[in-house]
Amino acid sequence: INSEICSKKNFFIITYTQLNKYKKDITEFLIKNDIFLFLDESHRIKRGDEGFYASAVLKLKDFPSYKLILTGTPITRNIEDLYAQMKFLLGYDTNEAQMINNMENVKVRTTKNELGIQPIKPSKLIVELSDEQLNTDDVLDKKIQSIAQNDWSINENFDEIKKIVMYKIMLSSNPFLLRRRMHEDGFPEEIIPKDYGAKIYTACELAREFANNNEKVVIWSFFRENIEIVDNLLKDIGSQYIHGGTDTG
């Protein structure tokens, strides 16, 4: 990067992995030149000084003439994800109140209207539960009734009922998600779901129809496992997925 060839270039792109490998050269380059340093996918540095990539990036924070961070997901889990990103921009640590105040002065948000994105026209498709799902749902309903009758503390009852309610949500989304959990909870094998359920297969059928018409399809799910299952079922038409297990450094 400090070679004569590079001295004649105006734009440089480097990955987070390479940055850590060549941080000494990058630091020298930033010190010697008037540089505008962009961080794309800046949530990659959210772990701060504890992160492999993030620590290397933060060591550069004092040297660029100008700095910019770009991300579509500034917070992937909680507000603490922003601390390292703001530290890179501001050059120093902040508490939550300071960070929020400073953010108002530096953030720029591109809206759908600015991008010319047309309003969404929602439509609803009702997918009936399969017989297997209905049988399992009936067992879960009886489990909730049984828990409610136990002579436990309010917190114990609430936690157990909350778990079963989450099971019911999984059951309607993709019953296969319940297999391991229901085995661990000792449910009888005959009522543990063995299939992905109608919703997953319907989503895949619709995706294939749209893809055959050269249209793009985005499938969103609350459950990470669903995304991986759908991706596997649609691999033959070139599916790709992204989920909350975002690589961080």
Side-chain angles (χ1 to χ4, degrees), residues 11 26 33-34 102 106 118 142 146 165 173 190 211 233-234:
F11 302 98
I26 300 295
N33 297 277
D34 186 25
N102 281 307
V106 300
Q118 298 298 314
K142 291 176 180 177
S146 172
V165 169
S173 176
E190 59 269 19
L233 292 172
L234 296 176

Side-chain angles (χ1 to χ4, degrees), residues 123-129 202:
S123 61
K124 183 184 294 185
L125 176 64
I126 297 176
V127 179
E128 300 291 343
L129 296 180
T202 300

Side-chain angles (χ1 to χ4, degrees), residues 72-192:
T73 51
I75 300 176
T76 58
R77 287 186 173 82
N78 55 56
I79 197 168
E80 293 180 0
D81 293 347
L82 292 172
Y83 286 133
Q85 297 176 70
M86 290 301 293
K87 181 177 181 179
F88 171 79
L89 282 181
L90 301 174
Y92 53 85
D93 289 310
T94 58
N95 59 35
E96 184 173 325
Q98 293 170 330
M99 179 180 65
I100 292 173
N101 288 334
N102 281 307
M103 191 180 305
E104 292 301 317
N105 298 323
V106 300
K107 74 174 182 180
V108 177
R109 180 173 178 264
T110 304
T111 66
K112 295 178 182 178
N113 288 336
E114 290 170 332
L115 295 174
I117 297 176
Q118 298 298 314
I120 296 174
K121 297 179 181 179
S123 61
K124 183 184 294 185
L125 176 64
I126 297 176
V127 179
E128 300 291 343
L129 296 180
S130 67
D131 289 340
E132 181 183 68
Q133 287 171 291
L134 289 171
N135 290 336
T136 303
D137 188 61
D138 184 57
V139 171
L140 294 177
D141 281 339
K142 291 176 180 177
K143 182 70 173 177
I144 289 176
Q145 294 172 10
S146 172
I147 293 171
Q149 294 171 0
N150 285 332
D151 187 22
W152 296 346
S153 69
I154 293 176
N155 286 338
E156 286 177 319
N157 274 344
F158 178 78
D159 288 342
E160 283 297 309
I161 291 175
K162 184 171 67 173
K163 181 175 72 172
I164 300 302
V165 169
M166 181 58 67
Y167 282 6
K168 286 170 69 68
I169 295 172
M170 290 181 178
L171 178 67
S172 66
S173 176
N174 176 3
F176 199 76
L177 298 177
L178 286 177
R179 286 193 58 76
R180 175 177 57 80
R181 296 166 177 86
M182 292 184 74
H183 273 299
E184 292 174 352
D185 283 351
F187 282 89
E189 177 64 33
E190 59 269 19
I191 64 97
I192 296 178

